[in-house]
Amino acid sequence: MRRKTLSMLLAVSMVVALSGCAGGNSSTSGSSASNVSASSSSVADASSASSASAEDQSGADTASADVLTHEEYMAADLDSEVTIETYVQAKQSWWEDEGQGKATVYGQSEDGAYFMYDMACSQEDYEKLVPGTKIQVTGYKSEWSGEVEIMDGTFEIVDGDEFIATPLDVTEMLGTDELIDHQNELVQFKGLTVEPANPDSGDTSTAFLYNYDGSGSEGDDLYFNASYNGQTYTFVIESYLCDSSTEVYSAVKNLQVGQTIDMEGFLYWYEGVNPHITSVTVVG
């Protein structure tokens, strides 16, 4: 969502990335002359040993980083560096910025969920981030319009167990202060009623909009409204997460005002609750 409001250039970069256009990986190679002196070789060996030692130290630093629990992470100051461990639940996007691959990923552990935005990631490693994969992430705790996330992170895959979250039913939490405690978690909503997508215009029959203001077209985000206990909430199909080829995208395009639906998705936040929906089922 955010990248779509920043600049057209950034949007074009994302489209290229999502089309599978991977950036080239740079590599370095050296050449040697047959008359290299023994003293030059010694200097090179010493430099290589020093570099290896630095790499070993870097690895040791990463391994010894203090891993925060979700509670400790939430208590940490904004803009502070944090290290967490979590399990990939879904991937939103991969793109390349000046030769650096960047990934946006939803993660969740038994004690809470995380949203990793623009995490440094090669396209090769992005393919390895399948749901359930455990990763350790170091980055900066940030906030964007109410969404708490990890920005500019790096990660490494952690061997061991896997975890796939079970959606938490938060229907009764809608409209309460308790809901934000589950930010970024995989959640479900049951028994909501589809409402007009743009009631202020006088249109009472259209159930969704392309983009929040109806300015988009096929392939853009879908916005739709649904109510529970007399209160109406806005939901979104984030097209980077679920594009126009997915079942949920088609399902929302086929919604009719007045239908009863169940939904699943990630409890994203943007100026209030703004769930990124991944599944919609008409139940009545």
Side-chain angles (χ1 to χ4, degrees), residues 40-53:
S40 296
S41 297
S42 298
V43 170
D45 290 344
S47 176
S48 177
S50 176
S51 175
S53 177

Side-chain angles (χ1 to χ4, degrees), residues 210 218-220 222 242-244 246-253:
Y210 290 111
E218 181 71 8
D220 290 326
L222 302 182
C242 297
D243 64 24
S244 59
T246 58
E247 290 184 8
V248 67
Y249 199 96
S250 296
V252 170
K253 287 173 56 179

Side-chain angles (χ1 to χ4, degrees), residues 98-175:
E98 298 181 350
Q100 173 62 65
K102 296 185 176 182
T104 295
V105 177
Y106 302 79
Q108 186 165 338
S109 306
E110 291 87 344
D111 60 346
Y114 306 87
F115 186 69
M116 283 74 71
Y117 184 80
D118 274 4
M119 183 170 64
C121 180
S122 68
Q123 192 169 37
E124 179 182 5
D125 285 342
Y126 187 68
E127 298 304 318
K128 299 175 183 177
L129 297 179
V130 298
T133 302
K134 187 175 185 179
I135 56 176
Q136 183 178 114
V137 181
T138 297
Y140 294 89
K141 180 184 175 183
S142 303
E143 182 178 341
W144 174 269
S145 297
E147 167 66 21
V148 177
E149 60 193 18
I150 298 176
M151 285 278 295
D152 299 327
T154 59
F155 79 96
E156 60 182 32
I157 294 176
V158 179
D159 293 333
D161 57 335
E162 298 181 352
F163 174 76
I164 299 293
T166 300
L168 174 69
D169 188 343
V170 295
T171 309
E172 297 299 332
M173 298 182 199
L174 284 168

Side-chain angles (χ1 to χ4, degrees), residues 221-244:
D221 296 347
L222 302 182
Y223 281 76
F224 63 104
N225 294 332
S227 63
Y228 189 75
N229 284 343
Q231 296 294 318
T232 298
Y233 306 90
T234 298
F235 301 84
V236 60
I237 304 301
E238 166 57 66
S239 60
Y240 291 155
L241 175 63
C242 297
D243 64 24
S244 59

Side-chain angles (χ1 to χ4, degrees), residues 8-70:
M8 287 300 296
L9 177 61
L10 201 52
V12 170
S13 298
M14 176 63 78
V15 170
V16 172
L18 293 178
S19 297
C21 300
N25 292 325
S26 62
S27 60
T28 58
S29 60
S31 61
S32 58
S34 58
N35 61 346
V36 174
S37 67
S39 60
S40 296
S41 297
S42 298
V43 170
D45 290 344
S47 176
S48 177
S50 176
S51 175
S53 177
E55 290 177 1
D56 290 344
Q57 182 61 45
S58 175
D61 290 344
T62 301
S64 63
D66 291 332
V67 177
L68 304 180
T69 65
H70 187 266

